[in-house]
Amino acid sequence: MRHRLLLSLATLMVFAVAQADSARIIENLNFGWRFHAGDVADGASVSCNDAQWEVVDVPHDFQIGQPWVEPDPSERPDNTDVAANIKSRLSSRGFKEMGCAWYRYHLTPGEQLRGRRLLLDFGGIMYVGDVYVNGQYVGGTDYGYVDFELDVTDYLRFGQDNVIAVKADTREPGNSRWYTGGGLFRDVKLVSTPRDLYFGRHPLKICTRENRYVSLEAEFTNRTKDKATHVAVSIISPDGKQVFADTIDVARHRGTRTQEALVLADTEIKDAQLWDIDTPQLYTLTARLLREDGTVADEATDRFGIRTVEIGPQFGLKLNGRKVLLKGYANHHTLGALGAAAYPRAIEKRLQLMKQWGINHIRTSHNPYSREFIELCDKYGLLVVDELYDKWTRQHTGGRVPFEQLWQHDVPEWVKRDRNSPSVVLWSLGNELQQDPNQPFNDFGVTMYKLMKTLIQRYDTTRLVTVAMHPRYRNWETDSLPCDLAMQTDIQAYNYRYMYFPGDGRRFPWMTFYQSEASVAAMGENYFSMDLDKVIGLAYWGAIDYLGESQGWPAKGWAQGVFDISLEPKPKAYYMKSFFKPEEPLVHIAVVDKKGDQMWNGVQTGNDGMSDHWNRVAGQTLTVITYTNAQEVELLLNGRSLGVKQNPQEPKLRNQIRWADVSYQPGTLEAVARTDGKVVARHKIETTGEVVGLKAEPDRQAQATKKPAADGWTADGQDLLHVRLVAVDKKGRLVQTTDRQVDFAVEGDARIVGVINGDMDSPELTVGNSRKLYNGTCTVILRAGRKPGAVKLTASAQGLKPVVLNLQTR
């Protein structure tokens, strides 16, 4: 596949407009890469014959389609910390074999690009990567989570075929503790600017003060003979109105061509619309570099929010002057069936779901997520603790080079990329250093933290800096005081050890506490036991099930979340919602199926296995839990009251009422919640009939109509549509006890990129065109092509009438 850039009539017209308005041109290189799994001796060479290679589009995870690798009999089948000779190689990595892969992209730059500055922009390469242009090595990444840019001006040949070759590799031994995925998992772009007058990378530093003042610093290079650099700045309000416009002449520094300059100082935005978690108002700032004749040489744009964040030991965190408690989760970066491929729509779907369940915060453990993730948090009003690393060792940061060679490059890129985003409220530099004594300088991270914090403050002084700690002390057996690092960080971020907040706070009243990981197994107790008026908040570890970090084959990953890997809520999700959204009355029935008793890093992580259906075995005696934020609950079996119980107020029991020895009878089990004697919520589960059909539920308005929905499914080559398949009885009720296989077929310009259900033990892959039902549901994920039009999805299961969805992309 050959790609000709800037030569079609349409593209020439775009280029002409760009010359008039902005000479920065960004070309999307996501489509039509040639892919080969495994190493190729001449993979970088121009002469390599890639004609028979698979054609793929980015984002792409080359590991997600690989077969599961069952542990060898000599290996331990889980991810526990045992002797190296019996620990499973791949339990932490999702039981996928490590490997490498090659990607090759052919392009022909037009003559219009000659004489311009040309840059390849990678959102990341998982896990380490090397980039070649026409057989010459031009750069790469030793830590694939961090974006990077390569200047290829002198490597591309105009008017002829060029080859961009990328080698992605995950094989460095022990280079991660979780499933990372592999390959070109984020966007790839070609950026062109003039050579004589242009902005740098992430050039804008936008700061706000007192919820009304905006200042701007910009980094640019001026190789012209002009005595000043002319910067035109405009600010557009969230409702599309221009609230500021001016051109500022910036004096040039003698002897320097590249400079960072203050362009705006405390420019007042009257009647500012504030960014908040409920009203995430975003302004757009555009800066243009102008030539003496007034034409635009280069342009940079970023969105920002006007807001204030205060953090202190007496109140935790305030946003715009009011106390906000972080109610969040910490997960790895992967996206279920899609693996590591960072589709913006898959990210958006998760964020929308989390907001519905009362979550207002995400910690990006333990690495930077994609830029699109941060931008979507800006859009939807989620507060982010932006994290750069796991432990500060070679083993935990790519494995190819020592950690000491990474941080000087990673910190500036990470901070400059995200510093204008209002959603980012804290920087986190690492995680659980105390578990690995091999940290730089042999002082458990103190010196390294000070060095990296100093570098952060070179680019951003508006946010505090922390490190997530577990345990909070150096020696598990003897120490009672916080570790040395906890005495240095701006925020005392403890994983799981919330019980030390009161004592540490009394000894060190300047400390401000954040439960950077909280156990779902201890959910509720680890929330209500904190002084909610003073702490920053908490993040539940693994709230969404994910690949990797298996606690035992055949589980392919973490399965202790409150949402399964297909994003179906488990009963315990309603418990979380009961205190994350206390203003919404709630009651939900959960039936205990098995006791959870798994341990992880000295913390109980195993949850009771629970379900919320009423298709049981005759005569079975059950334990039932009703999750509620009401004062009391009455439980009724087929209309007969089993009693009324009060909502206990002890932290360990609050919002969960246990009913022992409930004898199963077919019919209806109903919970009625009351506050002050009034019914405020109900939930009932019923014995369903046999499965008679499937119901298809797309997650967006994508059905074929004369006028496609404005927020529908876009034919941009990357947009996704998730379609949930539900097994129903003759009354249309979900039947959770069926596991029939569903086969999918697609017609039109779209394709299946993922199939998933909530069964972490399933031997099925998450790629293909079929999936079994689990708890009565499964999901198929469709990727749109680039031609708007009709798409037909057919879902079939043995013995049932096929369900057909007539869809369209816009």
Side-chain angles (χ1 to χ4, degrees), residues 112-164:
Q112 298 86 349
L113 294 181
R114 189 184 294 276
R116 295 173 63 80
R117 180 171 165 265
L118 302 174
L119 309 165
L120 282 176
D121 187 320
F122 290 87
I125 302 173
M126 191 50 57
Y127 193 9
V128 297
D130 299 301
V131 181
Y132 304 82
V133 174
N134 297 326
Q136 298 184 67
Y137 177 75
V138 295
T141 178
D142 294 313
Y143 182 60
Y145 290 108
V146 175
D147 312 45
F148 66 99
E149 177 182 87
L150 300 172
D151 191 327
V152 295
T153 304
D154 297 329
Y155 294 90
L156 291 176
R157 303 181 299 235
F158 295 91
Q160 55 184 298
D161 181 50
N162 291 255
V163 177
I164 301 170

Side-chain angles (χ1 to χ4, degrees), residues 307 415 418-427 453 456-457 460-465 490:
R307 56 98 171 111
V415 173
D418 291 346
R419 63 187 172 186
N420 295 332
S421 286
S423 62
V424 177
V425 294
L426 277 174
W427 302 117
K453 179 183 174 181
I456 286 176
Q457 292 178 328
D460 176 48
T461 58
T462 67
R463 295 171 179 88
L464 299 182
V465 184
D490 296 334

Side-chain angles (χ1 to χ4, degrees), residues 676-705:
D676 295 330
K678 296 181 180 178
V679 175
V680 293
R682 294 176 181 268
H683 179 231
K684 67 179 179 180
I685 55 179
E686 299 176 301
T687 305
T688 59
E690 295 295 319
V691 176
V692 299
L694 292 174
K695 183 168 62 173
E697 300 174 344
D699 67 340
R700 304 162 80 181
Q701 294 298 317
Q703 285 89 339
T705 61

Side-chain angles (χ1 to χ4, degrees), residues 533-550:
D533 292 329
K534 291 186 175 182
V535 299
I536 290 176
L538 87 178
Y540 279 111
W541 178 257
I544 304 173
D545 291 352
Y546 57 86
L547 291 175
E549 294 192 299
S550 167

Side-chain angles (χ1 to χ4, degrees), residues 735-794:
V735 181
Q736 293 194 33
T737 51
T738 182
D739 64 352
R740 299 190 192 204
Q741 178 172 300
V742 181
D743 299 310
F744 301 101
V746 178
E747 300 175 37
D749 192 20
R751 65 183 188 275
I752 297 171
V753 290
V755 285
I756 193 72
N757 63 30
D759 185 7
M760 193 62 79
D761 292 352
S762 173
E764 301 169 286
L765 294 176
T766 65
V767 297
N769 59 4
S770 65
R771 190 75 186 197
K772 284 187 175 182
L773 298 167
Y774 179 74
N775 291 336
T777 73
C778 68
T779 296
V780 59
I781 306 171
L782 306 180
R783 179 173 180 166
R786 291 189 283 173
K787 297 177 182 178
V791 174
K792 184 168 78 170
L793 171 68
T794 302

Side-chain angles (χ1 to χ4, degrees), residues 14 321 431 476 494 515 573 579 588:
V14 171
N431 176 69
W476 291 73
Y494 297 171
Q515 196 177 166
F579 54 86
H588 194 87

